[in-house]
Amino acid sequence: QITNLNNCLITGIKPANNFGYLVADRANILNVNNTKFDTGFIAIGSNENTAGAIFNINRSLFMPNNTDWTILAANSGGMTFNLTNSAFLNDEREAIVAATNKANTFNVKHCTFADLPGSTAVTHSIVMFLLSGNNTANGASSFTLQNNIFSHPNDSYAVIFNDPGDPLAILPTLTVGTNLWNIGSLRDGDAAQNAPGSVIITGDPQFLADGFHIAEGSPAADAGAAIGITVDYDGEVRPRGVASDLGVDETAPPPTG
């Protein structure tokens, strides 16, 4: 089964066990493009029969959720989550992705994870939360993080959290490129900071009023690597300067002459 959400506004997703999209008993494909979720979103794979499910989420905006996660890879392995050019704004939410004890693939490229404009909540934020239970039979999940912005300056923060008190038996496979981190402090158990190839740019990303577009002088401007993504959140061409900008937004270079 293939589900396509294009150019939609989704409202009224209810708290606790009322899911935006539930994959159960078969390997569905969900394509989300240019869609806004004003009350959050939960995509869940619930059992082993969902192996092979693919979630393609592109150029979309996720407002604060009503539970602890936006995407839960629960009891199924073999799923793929492709998150591109999408913004996740939170106020008190903990994890964007909770990957439990199965092996799944998460590709996160040109995304922005930030506080809701005006929020001063201290949430101890975690973007990717890894729960214990991985073993030889299940294998390890794979995470690719490239050209993203992680901005939660009030928080004790982890991009990929492997609980040091109950760590995974098999560590995840990490491919981490250039990302901007604007965080209060680094939380124990973060697995992304020292991943091979990781380049961390620090500083205020200088968001505009909406909380995810950036100003021309942002340290995210022209800081990205060429990873084959040729448009931004607004459908504008990447790059517009000497290199792609980090996060969802590609700014215009300042005029010359």
Side-chain angles (χ1 to χ4, degrees):
Q1 176 177 319
I2 299 175
T3 302
N4 297 310
L5 295 177
N6 296 314
N7 308 313
C8 296
L9 172 63
I10 308 296
T11 65
I13 296 176
K14 298 179 180 179
N17 299 321
N18 289 273
F19 308 127
Y21 192 82
L22 173 65
V23 175
D25 300 322
R26 59 182 58 85
N28 294 354
I29 297 174
L30 172 64
N31 299 312
V32 179
N33 186 64
N34 195 27
T35 290
K36 177 183 178 181
F37 295 83
D38 79 342
T39 52
F41 171 72
I42 310 171
I44 294 183
S46 67
N47 59 40
E48 289 292 352
N49 295 325
T50 61
I54 300 173
F55 297 80
N56 296 312
I57 298 175
N58 182 49
R59 295 179 55 209
S60 293
L61 174 61
F62 297 82
M63 300 300 282
N65 209 340
N66 42 41
T67 187
D68 286 338
W69 49 74
T70 296
I71 296 171
L72 174 64
N75 297 314
S76 178
M79 297 186 295
T80 300
F81 298 84
N82 299 314
L83 312 181
T84 308
N85 280 330
S86 294
F88 299 81
L89 304 182
N90 88 16
D91 50 4
E92 297 180 358
R93 181 173 56 203
E94 182 78 357
I96 306 297
V97 173
T100 61
N101 61 352
K102 306 294 183 179
N104 294 289
T105 299
F106 300 87
N107 298 310
V108 184
K109 302 178 180 180
H110 278 295
C111 290
T112 295
F113 302 86
D115 292 331
L116 191 70
S119 174
T120 58
V122 178
T123 61
H124 303 287
S125 291
I126 299 169
V127 177
M128 314 289 177
F129 186 76
L130 309 180
L131 300 181
S132 64
N134 262 2
N135 55 40
T136 303
N138 292 330
S141 287
S142 171
F143 294 87
T144 297
L145 307 176
Q146 295 176 312
N147 291 358
N148 302 294
I149 294 175
F150 303 101
S151 181
H152 296 277
N154 300 314
D155 298 344
S156 172
Y157 198 75
V159 174
I160 298 178
F161 183 69
N162 184 14
D163 187 350
D166 191 15
L168 299 180
I170 301 176
L171 294 177
T173 300
L174 303 180
T175 301
V176 182
T178 301
N179 299 280
L180 187 150
W181 292 26
N182 179 37
I183 63 175
S185 62
L186 187 65
R187 191 167 179 173
D188 290 343
D190 180 80
Q193 178 182 218
N194 297 316
S198 176
V199 177
I200 297 175
I201 295 173
T202 60
D204 182 347
Q206 300 178 29
F207 291 129
L208 301 182
D210 62 11
F212 61 97
H213 284 86
I214 58 173
E216 289 181 0
S218 168
D222 293 344
I227 57 173
I229 296 174
T230 57
V231 297
D232 72 352
Y233 173 88
D234 300 301
E236 296 176 338
V237 172
R238 288 187 188 273
R240 298 173 72 186
V242 297
S244 291
D245 298 350
L246 304 177
V248 302
D249 182 33
E250 187 74 14
T251 60
T256 59

